[in-house]
Amino acid sequence: MLPWKRALRPLAALLLTAVVAVVPAATTAQAADAAATSSSGWNDYSCKPSAAHPRPVVLVHGTFANSVDNWLGLAPYLENRGYCVFSLDYGQLPGVPFFHALGPIDKSAEQLSAYVDEVLAATGAAEADLVGHSQGGMMPRYYLKFLGGAAKVNALVGIAPNNHGTTLAGLTNLLPYFPGAEDLLSTATPALAQQVVGSDFMTKLNAGGDTVPGVRYTVIATKYDEVVTPYRSQFLNGPGVTNVLIQDLCAVDISEHAFLGLTDRIAFHEVANALDPARATPTTCASVLG
């Protein structure tokens, strides 16, 4: 094989990884600082759900993120509204600190399953609600569908979830032109390869329907998403599904993939509505002030 072709293998995988890295993640230094601090009051195992909010909320971070940096905005937002809020790390690769959700997604779902059991045992609740960003909005569907999670979960709220695979604005179509890149990607960072449209994982996840009975699903998407493309592939089909385009609620909201989950208080308001539909209030541009 020509030397330039050999060199393109790691380069192709590196380029794809760099593009996907715009999913919610702080810089290494920021993530280190955040992980070294307390979680601003969430992950309090003494918290007992109230009558108003009887289910704990488990936050599931996205690719390259972790249990702290992904939730510095949303976790306090929900905690201040009376929820017991928890977050986990999952999908860690050996020797890779801070940047998680890179391991095989089915194994990550097993980690989520164990964590939900832990939260339910600590809080005494019968069910939890899940809120996830990016991969974290999609991975729980494997838990619900194949690992018995539907019996323990009331609602799943996905913020910019990669529900049907991504084309990365067409970049994944280039992989076949770089021999070995797909194999390298699958070996080094399995979750990235599994999130490409048409992957074996995505085919299995969506076979037989997007949803399972007994769980309410909400998807919150932005038309400016540059990571999960096309953005409408995020939406789910099936009973108990609510699909929300954030620009339908506030036309001037220009949040893209990362900011929708990290800082967008309009999206946060819609999350709160999804968690407590009986007390939902209209989500508008003014929700940014709430």
Side-chain angles (χ1 to χ4, degrees):
M1 179 180 292
L2 294 176
W4 66 269
K5 287 187 176 180
R6 201 175 301 119
L8 278 177
R9 291 185 179 187
L11 177 60
L14 180 62
L15 286 174
L16 184 59
T17 301
V19 173
V20 178
V22 299
V23 303
T27 64
T28 301
Q30 288 171 326
D33 290 343
T37 63
S38 75
S39 300
S40 303
W42 77 92
N43 283 338
D44 176 4
Y45 283 84
S46 67
C47 185
K48 300 301 180 184
S50 65
H53 302 305
R55 292 174 298 276
V57 177
V58 174
L59 303 178
V60 190
H61 64 73
T63 310
F64 288 101
N66 59 60
S67 62
V68 177
D69 69 23
N70 209 145
W71 306 119
L72 292 173
L74 182 58
Y77 182 95
L78 295 175
E79 184 192 10
N80 291 338
R81 284 156 178 78
Y83 288 92
C84 292
V85 181
F86 300 85
S87 61
L88 78 156
D89 286 315
Y90 69 90
Q92 297 94 325
L93 293 178
V96 181
F98 311 121
F99 301 113
H100 302 323
L102 296 171
I105 298 175
D106 54 329
K107 299 302 181 183
S108 294
E110 292 177 6
Q111 291 179 278
L112 174 62
S113 176
Y115 189 78
V116 170
D117 287 348
E118 181 181 328
V119 168
L120 293 180
T123 59
E127 292 183 313
D129 288 326
L130 308 180
V131 179
H133 185 198
S134 191
Q135 183 189 155
M138 170 272 292
M139 177 271 281
R141 292 180 50 225
Y142 190 97
Y143 162 56
L144 298 176
K145 194 169 188 178
F146 299 110
L147 302 179
K152 303 172 185 178
V153 173
N154 169 69
L156 169 62
V157 184
I159 306 171
N162 187 12
N163 277 323
H164 296 98
T166 180
T167 68
L168 274 175
L171 287 177
T172 59
N173 295 329
L174 300 178
L175 281 174
Y177 296 98
F178 296 91
E182 290 178 277
D183 291 339
L184 181 62
L185 195 67
S186 298
T187 301
T189 53
L192 297 186
Q194 289 176 316
Q195 290 184 81
V196 172
V197 65
S199 72
D200 290 344
F201 177 85
M202 283 294 168
T203 300
K204 177 180 178 180
L205 178 65
N206 294 305
D210 293 347
T211 64
V212 296
V215 179
R216 290 190 295 105
Y217 296 80
T218 301
V219 173
I220 303 170
T222 171
K223 68 181 181 181
Y224 300 115
D225 200 310
E226 78 287 23
V227 173
V228 183
T229 58
Y231 75 86
R232 291 194 178 276
S233 69
Q234 300 172 31
F235 293 149
L236 296 173
N237 295 302
V241 169
T242 300
N243 292 313
V244 178
L245 182 64
I246 204 72
Q247 283 76 30
D248 288 341
L249 305 177
C250 177
V252 297
D253 190 326
I254 59 172
S255 288
E256 41 65 70
H257 183 85
F259 285 122
L260 193 69
L262 289 172
T263 62
D264 192 326
R265 292 178 71 87
I266 298 171
F268 293 178
H269 186 271
E270 195 61 14
V271 169
N273 281 348
L275 293 176
D276 191 0
R279 296 179 178 84
T281 59
T283 301
T284 67
C285 296
S287 298
V288 72
L289 303 175

